[in-house]
Amino acid sequence: MSTTSFQPLPWTRTPEGALRRVGVEIEMAGVSLETMARAIIDEFGGQIEAEHAFVLHVRDSDAGDFQLELDARVLKDRGYREHLARLGVDLEDRDQEALEAWLADAAGRLVPHEIVAPPLEPAQLPRLDRVRAALQQEGALGTERSLLYAFGLQLNIEIHSREPEWLLAVLRAFVLMYEILAQAGAIDLSRRLSPYIRPFPGAFVRYILDPDFTPDRASLIDTWLAHNPTRNRPLDLLPVLAELDPERVAAAPVEHELIKPRPALHYRLPDCRIDDPAWSLAHPLNGWVEVEQLAAHPERLERLAREYLERPGQAVGRWTDEWMQRLRAWF
C-alpha cells in the first residue's frame, strides 16, 4: 500500500476565503457499484440510495453525497428506453428491472464504473485514498489492465482566484509541464489514443505563452473557445469559464449538455491505476501541485515560457530534471 503523502497547494484559499477543495472522479472496472458504495460507507458513513441499476448514491456521509455510476450516458439517462419504444417494446416493471440488471452486468465489462466524490477539503483526501485502497483489495481494475480500459482519475480543483492573470498563469504552467506530467505518470496508450485528453493545439500553446498576451477575462475566454471548442483536453477550463461568463460559453459551439459550470479546474490527464497497490490518489494530485508551484513563481514561469518559444519541441530548461526526479518519486 502506498504511503505517499498529499502535498499542499501553494494557494490554500478560494476567492471567498474558504479552504480550497478537490472533487475526485475515479473510473475502474472489476467491482460492482454496490461494492464501491460499501467501501465509501465503511470510511465516511451514510446510506445507499438506488436511483436505478446504473446509478447509486451514498447519501448523508460525513463528507457529503457520493454518486456511483456506470459512465455511459445512454444507460444513466435510460435512453435505451426510447429505442425500445420505437421498436414497439413496452416492458413491465419486473421485466424492466431484469433488463437493467443484465445491461448493468454486460456494460460493466467495458464501461467504467465511476465514483464521483463531493468536493473534499485537503484533510479528507487521505480518507478517500483509503477507499481506493479498499477497492484495490476487492479487485478493482485500472487503466493498464486492458487496452479497452481508457480509465481516468479526474480532479476538480477549486480555483484560488477569478482574475484572468491567475487563470492564465496556471494554464501557462500546465502547458509547459504537460509532457513531463504525461511521462512521469506513464499515461497509458489506451488513453493517449482516446479522444478524452487530446493535447492542446500547438498554435494555442504558442499564443498563450507569448509574453505580449495579457488578456482580460473576455479575451482569455474567447481565446480558449477559439482553440478548444471541446472538453476533451488534459486540462478542461470549460466548467470554470461557464461559471465566470455563462452567456459567452453558451454562444460557443461546445458540448453544452456535458458542461457543468463550477468554480473549479477540471484536470483530466491522469490514469487510474487503482489495481497497483503502490499507486495512490496522492500521485496525480501532487503532479497538479507542481503545476501550481510553477504558476506561483512568475519570473520562473516567464523565463521557461520564453525558452519554450525559442526552442519548440524541446524540454524546457534546466528545471526538467528536477521536475522529473520529484514527480517520478510521487508517481
Side-chain angles (χ1 to χ4, degrees):
M1 179 176 174
S2 173
T3 58
T4 303
S5 61
F6 289 85
Q7 300 300 306
L9 294 166
W11 292 286
T12 60
R13 298 286 171 174
T14 68
E16 294 75 28
L19 279 174
R20 291 175 72 192
R21 300 173 299 171
V22 180
V24 183
E25 303 172 35
I26 313 172
E27 298 177 343
M28 68 193 80
V31 289
S32 67
L33 297 182
E34 292 79 6
T35 298
M36 294 157 67
R38 287 197 301 272
I40 291 168
I41 290 170
D42 287 345
E43 178 63 41
F44 291 99
Q47 50 269 336
I48 296 176
E49 177 185 298
E51 187 171 328
H52 47 69
F54 315 121
V55 178
L56 299 181
H57 302 271
V58 173
R59 303 288 193 194
D60 303 321
S61 85
D62 59 24
D65 291 346
F66 292 76
Q67 181 163 306
L68 305 313
E69 61 188 37
L70 265 73
D71 192 16
R73 193 173 172 202
V74 70
L75 297 180
K76 289 189 293 185
D77 296 345
R78 307 176 102 175
Y80 65 90
R81 288 183 169 187
E82 297 179 10
H83 300 296
L84 291 177
R86 293 193 194 102
L87 296 173
V89 178
D90 184 15
L91 298 175
E92 296 181 358
D93 288 345
R94 184 175 61 184
D95 295 332
Q96 182 71 45
E97 291 175 3
L99 174 61
E100 289 189 349
W102 180 84
L103 285 172
D105 180 67
R109 303 174 193 275
L110 296 176
V111 176
H113 289 56
E114 183 173 15
I115 294 175
V116 181
L120 300 174
E121 293 185 354
Q124 295 173 309
L125 291 171
R127 299 180 64 190
L128 186 61
D129 198 48
R130 288 198 288 271
V131 174
R132 183 273 317 162
L135 291 172
Q136 188 267 328
Q137 291 293 313
E138 291 284 350
L141 304 177
T143 316
E144 296 178 313
R145 186 54 65 98
S146 169
L147 285 174
L148 299 175
Y149 290 174
F151 297 162
L153 185 288
Q154 300 181 38
L155 302 174
N156 295 287
I157 304 132
E158 288 186 327
I159 58 173
H160 164 67
S161 170
R162 294 185 175 87
E163 296 303 316
E165 294 83 2
W166 185 82
L167 291 170
L168 180 59
V170 172
L171 182 56
R172 281 172 165 165
F174 182 81
V175 299
L176 286 169
M177 289 196 65
Y178 165 71
E179 284 295 340
I180 295 169
L181 289 166
Q183 290 176 36
I187 302 304
D188 193 79
L189 179 64
S190 64
R191 295 197 70 240
R192 283 180 175 264
L193 295 178
S194 78
Y196 308 125
I197 53 169
R198 287 175 176 155
F200 290 106
F204 172 73
V205 172
R206 292 188 294 274
Y207 194 87
I208 65 165
L209 290 181
D210 188 327
D212 293 329
F213 181 57
T214 56
D216 59 14
R217 179 184 293 176
S219 297
L220 180 61
I221 295 174
D222 286 344
T223 299
W224 177 275
L225 294 172
H227 291 270
N228 304 287
T230 177
R231 51 200 294 274
N232 293 330
R233 292 286 186 257
L235 175 61
D236 170 25
L237 293 192
L238 284 174
V240 69
L241 299 183
E243 172 83 10
L244 296 174
D245 195 335
E247 292 183 1
R248 192 175 295 273
V249 174
V254 294
E255 306 106 315
H256 299 107
E257 70 280 3
L258 299 177
I259 299 170
K260 299 177 182 178
R262 56 187 181 271
L265 304 162
H266 190 192
Y267 179 35
R268 297 168 56 94
L269 176 64
D271 286 350
C272 178
R273 294 161 56 189
I274 194 169
D275 47 354
D276 179 356
W279 179 82
S280 88
L281 303 182
H283 296 145
L285 185 62
N286 290 345
W288 177 261
V289 169
E290 284 294 307
V291 172
E292 290 202 12
Q293 289 287 3
L294 176 57
H297 292 83
E299 292 183 359
R300 179 183 175 190
L301 178 62
E302 181 179 351
R303 182 166 61 253
L304 291 180
R306 290 183 184 276
E307 288 184 20
Y308 183 95
L309 292 172
E310 291 170 1
R311 300 183 297 165
Q314 298 181 33
V316 287
R318 59 191 174 85
W319 303 101
T320 300
D321 290 342
E322 176 189 336
W323 276 330
M324 287 301 293
Q325 183 177 3
R326 189 158 55 245
L327 287 171
R328 281 175 172 159
W330 284 339
F331 278 82

